[in-house]
Amino acid sequence: AQSVTQLGSHVSVSEGALVLLRCNYSSSVPPYLFWYVQYPNQGLQLLLKYTSAATLVKGINGFEAEFKKSETSFHLTKPSAHMSDAAEYFCAVSEGGYNKLIFGAGTRLAVHP
Amino acid sequence: DAMVIQNPRYQVTQFGKPVTLSCSQTLNHNVMYWYQQKSSQAPKLLFHYYDKDFNNEADTPDNFQSRRPNTSFCFLDIRSPGLGDAAMYLCATSRDAVTGVSYEQYFGPGTRLTVT
């Protein structure tokens, strides 16, 4: 069965600092991987996705993620944090023909001045 | 803009009083999902529709039912809400392999359910 582990339930960075949110997955087949962001009392918004094309994926709001098969990782990065990046971030892997998503537990990102 | 719409955004119901949450989409996606998300947790899939075919998750309580009268609309019925059913309910859609694989799911803004 597929699973996702997000290391660090809370991450705090200074405005302008590098953002690194970690995600490791397990899958017996080539995975499809996603990062979603959720602001308070909102739904989930897709940041970026990996679907077996380029291993370095660029998303919205300056985020990017690199798929590393040897490390079974799909970490999310942003060179310079902005206050508006404060939110909950979920990594997910796709399972099955109906695009069923398996979510990680989430990482809450705080950005302080 | 094509989107997933959920109404209402906030719903208050009484313990044991049936409640219905609604979801509509203008993306013309044939797969629709309902998730339950409790505070500080990941979304938990309750069930999904592939066109009109209903697929229940094994651990979804019988108290939760769903209807999909057409491609655009999907409803979540909670027959007898308990205090433990208070949560954010998220609707999502995706496009399947027959019409062109997209893999990702598109989420609505959610309905926050309070049970008093």
Side-chain angles (χ1 to χ4, degrees), chain B residues 22-69:
Chain B
S22 71
C23 175
S24 64
Q25 54 124 344
T26 60
L27 296 161
N28 202 32
H29 286 170
N30 58 333
V31 191
M32 294 187 76
Y33 309 79
W34 278 105
Y35 290 87
Q36 179 192 64
Q37 186 181 27
K38 295 189 175 181
S39 182
S40 300
Q41 295 183 20
K44 177 181 180 296
L45 183 64
L46 295 173
F47 25 61
H48 74 274
Y49 276 93
Y50 183 97
D51 291 325
K52 285 192 172 291
D53 293 334
F54 177 72
N55 299 271
N56 202 33
E57 292 299 296
D59 58 353
T60 297
D62 293 340
N63 197 28
F64 292 86
Q65 303 287 319
S66 185
R67 297 169 284 134
R68 189 179 185 186

Side-chain angles (χ1 to χ4, degrees), chain A residues 80-91:
Chain A
S80 177
H82 192 273
M83 298 295 287
S84 61
D85 295 326
E88 186 91 23
Y89 291 80
F90 292 96
C91 182

Side-chain angles (χ1 to χ4, degrees), chain A residues 6 10 32 34 36 38-46 48-51 88 90 94-106 108, chain B residues 9-10 31 33 35 37 40-45 48 50 53 55 57 88 90 94-97 101-110 112:
Chain A
Q6 290 185 239
H10 290 82
Y32 298 102
F34 309 86
Y36 284 87
Q38 186 177 33
Y39 298 99
N41 288 314
Q42 296 291 326
L44 277 68
Q45 180 182 10
L46 180 68
L48 48 80
K49 63 181 179 181
Y50 168 76
T51 56
E88 186 91 23
F90 292 96
S94 179
E95 171 183 291
Y98 296 150
N99 309 340
K100 179 176 177 176
L101 290 179
I102 306 300
F103 285 95
R108 184 170 298 277
Chain B
R9 293 294 315 280
Y10 299 89
V31 191
Y33 309 79
Y35 290 87
Q37 186 181 27
S40 300
Q41 295 183 20
K44 177 181 180 296
L45 183 64
H48 74 274
Y50 183 97
D53 293 334
N55 299 271
E57 292 299 296
M88 175 76 92
L90 297 165
S94 70
R95 194 176 63 204
D96 81 342
V101 175
S102 64
Y103 297 108
E104 66 268 28
Q105 294 183 17
Y106 296 85
F107 285 80
R112 182 164 296 283

Side-chain angles (χ1 to χ4, degrees), chain B residues 19-20 54 58 73-74 77 81 91 95 97 104 106:
Chain B
V19 65
T20 295
F54 177 72
F73 286 87
C74 196
D77 301 308
C91 176
R95 194 176 63 204
E104 66 268 28
Y106 296 85

Side-chain angles (χ1 to χ4, degrees), chain A residues 22-43:
Chain A
R22 299 178 187 274
C23 173
N24 288 89
Y25 68 92
S26 68
S27 176
S28 57
V29 298
Y32 298 102
L33 294 159
F34 309 86
W35 276 100
Y36 284 87
V37 61
Q38 186 177 33
Y39 298 99
N41 288 314
Q42 296 291 326

Side-chain angles (χ1 to χ4, degrees), chain B residues 67-89:
Chain B
R67 297 169 284 134
R68 189 179 185 186
N70 54 52
T71 299
S72 300
F73 286 87
C74 196
F75 300 98
L76 171 62
D77 301 308
I78 308 176
R79 294 192 296 187
S80 181
L83 297 179
D85 296 328
M88 175 76 92
Y89 289 88

